[in-house]
Amino acid sequence: MTKYKVQSTKYKGLLFLIGFVVFLSTMYSVLSTSFAQECGSDLDCQIAAIQREISALSPAQEKNKADLAVLNKQVADLTSKINKLTSQLKTLETSIATREKDLAFTKTLFDAKAKDQYTFLRLYDPITPFLFSDSASNAFREINFRQKAAESDRELVDGYAVELIKLKSDKDSLEKNKASLSSLQSQVSEKQKFLAGEVAKVDSYLSTLTAKQNELAAAKSGGFETSVGDTPPSLEPCTGPKGSPNFCDPGFSPAFAAFSFGAPHRTGLSQYGAYGRSKSGQSAEQILSAYYGGATLDKSYSSSSTIGVKGYGRVSLEDNYLLGIYEIPESWGDNGGFEALKAQAVVARSYALYSTNNGAGTICTTEACQVYKPQLKSGKWKEAVQATRGWVMLKNGSPAPTYFSASTGGYTISQWGWNGIKDASGNWPDTAYEKVAGSPWFYKGWYKSRGGSSCGRNNPWLNSTEMADILNAWKVLYQGGGDTNRISPVGSCWGGNPYSMSDLSNLGGFTSVSGVSQVIYGNDGSTTSVKFSTNKGDITIPGTEFKKAFNLRAPGYVGLKSSLFNIEKL
């Protein structure tokens, strides 16, 4: 039986893995604080910092993956050999058990033969065959037979002795091999358990790092304030489609750009939508009913007279806190939007009571809650607050979570307890209320970060090769054939180790895009699919998949802010 020993040298790669994991564990404990110390609240900076960390880890991680693959193969080979040995031992064990039964039967025969032989030797008279045989030949024949029988009996005795010795040796070997095999199995089990644990640690670290990067990227992709604020933004140049006041000719053709309809969270009240509804003659009650289906408006709700405001202590809800809300411009009240101001006042009151447990808690003063300033207003906003005093949106008898945002693209979506609606008076997008209100975010091509960085680009338009590059990124992300971790923008703004455009083209096979033949929108307020004409023929890509590929690969800060978008071609 062949013995198999575990070679410790086969596990030398584990030493590297252990050291690498210890390094990761130590580094992970300080990552979150180091990013904050380095970048503060600058999301772009934090993302770039994380990308640098990932890039620094990439070579070691690739080496680690290679070592793990080797170690896993070694463990698999060892396990296979142990399984074979186990099978051989089981076969031997079965054979020994059978032989023990056979020898037990043989022993019975042996005992009988030994008795017969003893009796024969004691009583046998060699003259007898001659006395009782008819002839000498018969006598010699009988003597010969008796000699052969005696010889056979001796051989049986000798064979039994040899078999007993061999059986004992095999049983001893079996027990020894079973003990050795048990030790091997224990060692392999421990190695596998340790290896699995170390792999899990590395995977956990890297997934946490990726999750953090995705979290920051998601925060960055919002792109603009979640509310309009006190002063509406000016019309940003070079972000509109052809024919709009903020269009810029990129100077090449064909050119492609992705335009987002609103963002970021697209639920609850759309401030520009409310403004458009007010300009179209709707009342505050109608506006609230449209955006908060399933809630009721209580116009005499009894609530705490004060509210906790972070950094300012407890203040009067009606005569201080609500008068210091800076979420939409007062100027709207003079331009057909007074009902929108009233609706926003109710929303602000309801949200404040909801988030503070009817005034008992404390609310923050930033856009993470509602923007509050101690400089209290005295114009149209104050009129709107006083006109709606005591008006509160209720859900299940309590103040409702009245979420809101600047623009939802003419569609709100179902989330956070509110139903989605098509926010238009007729055919969307032409009659969308945000379009009526002139929202600068209703249909926009984004190419700058929230802080204004453009990474050297002055418009959102991409050439044919750049658009093909995004399709190649989509192919690797969703159909395989490459390293998805290398799908990121090319250029110094993001760093890392992204595929070059030529390398990605070799993987995906798209070299040019000549047109966008179809964009389909769903009733849920999202882009369902986009169909492109390419060097490989027509290709249809699901909207969610294209959005991810676009945001991961588009150059600089060019990005899609909403799941509702369009691709235009010049």
Side-chain angles (χ1 to χ4, degrees):
M1 180 174 179
T2 303
K3 293 184 179 180
Y4 183 78
K5 295 182 180 180
V6 180
Q7 300 296 324
S8 61
T9 54
K10 291 195 173 209
Y11 292 93
K12 62 183 180 180
L14 274 174
L15 298 176
F16 170 80
L17 175 61
I18 294 170
F20 181 64
V21 171
V22 170
F23 162 70
L24 290 182
S25 301
T26 303
M27 186 174 65
Y28 177 65
S29 65
V30 299
L31 263 183
S32 57
T33 54
S34 66
F35 289 154
Q37 292 170 354
E38 178 184 350
C39 302
S41 60
D42 187 336
L43 296 176
D44 296 331
C45 175
Q46 292 185 51
I47 292 173
I50 288 180
Q51 185 59 61
R52 288 196 299 273
E53 295 292 345
I54 292 177
S55 300
L57 288 177
S58 292
Q61 177 63 0
E62 291 304 316
K63 175 68 166 57
N64 184 45
K65 287 180 179 178
D67 286 346
L68 286 179
V70 172
L71 290 173
N72 280 328
K73 185 178 185 305
Q74 291 170 349
V75 170
D77 290 344
L78 180 57
T79 301
S80 176
K81 291 180 180 180
I82 287 177
N83 289 338
K84 290 179 181 178
L85 291 178
T86 301
S87 177
Q88 293 176 22
L89 286 179
K90 286 182 178 179
T91 301
L92 178 59
E93 192 170 19
T94 300
S95 174
I96 287 175
T98 301
R99 286 160 60 196
E100 284 181 326
K101 290 181 181 179
D102 292 342
L103 283 174
F105 177 72
T106 302
K107 184 178 182 299
T108 302
L109 294 177
F110 169 76
D111 289 342
K113 288 286 185 180
K115 182 179 179 181
D116 290 344
Q117 182 72 3
Y118 175 77
T119 302
F120 172 76
L121 291 175
R122 294 281 300 210
L123 301 178
Y124 177 67
D125 183 356
I127 303 300
T128 301
F130 291 97
L131 295 176
F132 291 96
S133 297
D134 295 335
S135 64
S137 62
N138 288 336
F140 283 115
R141 189 179 299 115
E142 181 180 349
I143 291 173
N144 184 48
F145 286 155
R146 288 183 181 275
Q147 287 178 338
K148 286 184 178 180
E151 185 178 347
S152 175
D153 288 344
R154 282 194 301 273
E155 289 177 355
L156 176 64
V157 171
D158 291 342
Y160 177 71
V162 172
E163 189 65 25
L164 280 177
I165 294 171
K166 188 174 187 306
L167 179 62
K168 184 178 183 305
S169 175
D170 287 347
K171 289 182 70 174
D172 290 344
S173 177
L174 174 65
E175 295 303 318
K176 183 178 179 180
N177 287 330
K178 285 174 69 176
S180 298
L181 184 58
S182 176
S183 175
L184 281 175
Q185 288 175 320
S186 177
Q187 292 177 45
V188 172
S189 177
E190 290 178 4
K191 297 293 184 184
Q192 286 178 314
K193 184 177 180 181
F194 173 79
L195 185 60
E198 299 312 300
V199 171
K201 288 179 184 177
V202 176
D203 286 344
S204 175
Y205 172 78
L206 292 178
S207 65
T208 301
L209 193 64
T210 302
K212 180 63 177 176
Q213 186 184 31
N214 287 339
E215 176 186 339
L216 293 175
K220 170 179 172 286
S221 70
F224 57 89
E225 304 288 333
T226 56
S227 60
V228 177
D230 186 47
T231 304
S234 59
L235 200 61
E236 191 173 7
C238 301
T239 58
K242 186 176 182 179
S244 68
N246 53 337
F247 167 74
C248 291
D249 191 334
F252 53 83
S253 181
F256 302 87
F259 289 89
S260 300
F261 290 98
H265 61 67
R266 300 173 60 219
T267 192
L269 180 136
S270 161
Q271 291 173 321
Y272 269 107
Y275 186 23
R277 286 175 178 272
S278 181
K279 291 169 73 73
S280 300
Q282 292 187 23
S283 66
E285 291 91 336
Q286 290 174 308
I287 294 171
L288 293 168
S289 177
Y291 292 111
Y292 302 108
T296 58
L297 176 60
D298 187 335
K299 293 186 175 182
S300 57
Y301 184 76
S302 177
S303 62
S304 172
S305 60
T306 61
I307 185 174
V309 180
K310 186 175 181 180
Y312 297 96
R314 296 198 67 81
V315 302
S316 169
L317 173 64
E318 297 289 343
D319 300 323
N320 185 301
Y321 177 73
L322 290 175
L323 297 182
I325 294 297
Y326 283 72
E327 288 292 356
I328 57 176
E330 283 194 280
S331 59
W332 285 7
D334 295 319
N335 295 287
F338 186 66
E339 293 300 309
L341 265 63
K342 289 171 61 179
Q344 180 70 52
V346 176
V347 168
R349 183 183 293 110
S350 303
Y351 185 80
L353 293 174
Y354 159 78
S355 62
T356 61
N357 190 23
N358 211 35
T362 300
I363 190 169
C364 71
T365 60
T366 67
E367 65 181 47
C369 302
Q370 295 185 120
V371 177
Y372 166 85
K373 299 178 183 179
Q375 296 78 31
L376 306 184
K377 297 179 180 179
S378 58
K380 287 292 183 180
W381 176 252
K382 181 177 181 180
E383 290 183 33
V385 170
Q386 292 178 337
T388 60
R389 192 179 188 94
W391 291 20
V392 176
M393 297 297 293
L394 302 180
K395 198 165 189 180
N396 300 321
S398 300
T402 46
Y403 301 112
F404 59 91
S405 63
S407 291
T408 62
Y411 267 95
T412 64
I413 59 176
S414 297
Q415 61 177 349
W416 304 340
W418 302 113
N419 295 326
I421 64 167
K422 189 175 183 180
D423 201 12
S425 59
N427 293 326
W428 175 89
D430 294 334
T431 62
Y433 287 111
E434 290 177 352
K435 190 171 184 179
V436 172
S439 169
W441 300 309
F442 174 67
Y443 191 67
K444 181 175 179 177
W446 294 85
Y447 67 95
K448 292 183 179 180
S449 71
R450 185 168 182 167
S453 174
S454 65
C455 198
R457 302 187 71 91
N458 56 17
N459 63 67
W461 296 92
L462 307 178
N463 61 37
S464 175
T465 303
E466 289 173 322
M467 183 56 75
D469 184 61
I470 291 171
L471 300 192
N472 289 322
W474 164 80
K475 190 173 187 302
V476 169
L477 284 171
Y478 291 97
Q479 296 185 358
D483 185 354
T484 58
N485 292 322
R486 296 185 65 188
I487 303 300
S488 59
V490 177
S492 60
C493 291
W494 292 95
N497 184 34
Y499 283 116
S500 67
M501 293 181 72
S502 60
D503 287 342
L504 197 55
S505 177
N506 290 334
L507 293 174
F510 295 102
T511 57
S512 64
V513 177
S514 57
V516 183
S517 55
Q518 189 180 58
V519 179
I520 298 178
Y521 305 107
N523 292 328
D524 61 348
S526 64
T527 298
T528 302
S529 63
V530 185
K531 186 176 182 181
F532 294 94
S533 299
T534 77
N535 63 293
K536 296 177 66 177
D538 288 346
I539 180 74
T540 300
I541 301 176
T544 54
E545 294 182 6
F546 179 79
K547 179 176 181 287
K548 180 177 180 178
F550 189 89
N551 282 347
L552 286 178
R553 186 62 176 180
Y557 291 93
V558 174
L560 281 167
K561 311 302 182 184
S562 172
S563 60
L564 184 61
F565 60 87
N566 185 36
I567 308 298
E568 292 207 8
K569 175 198 169 187
L570 289 178

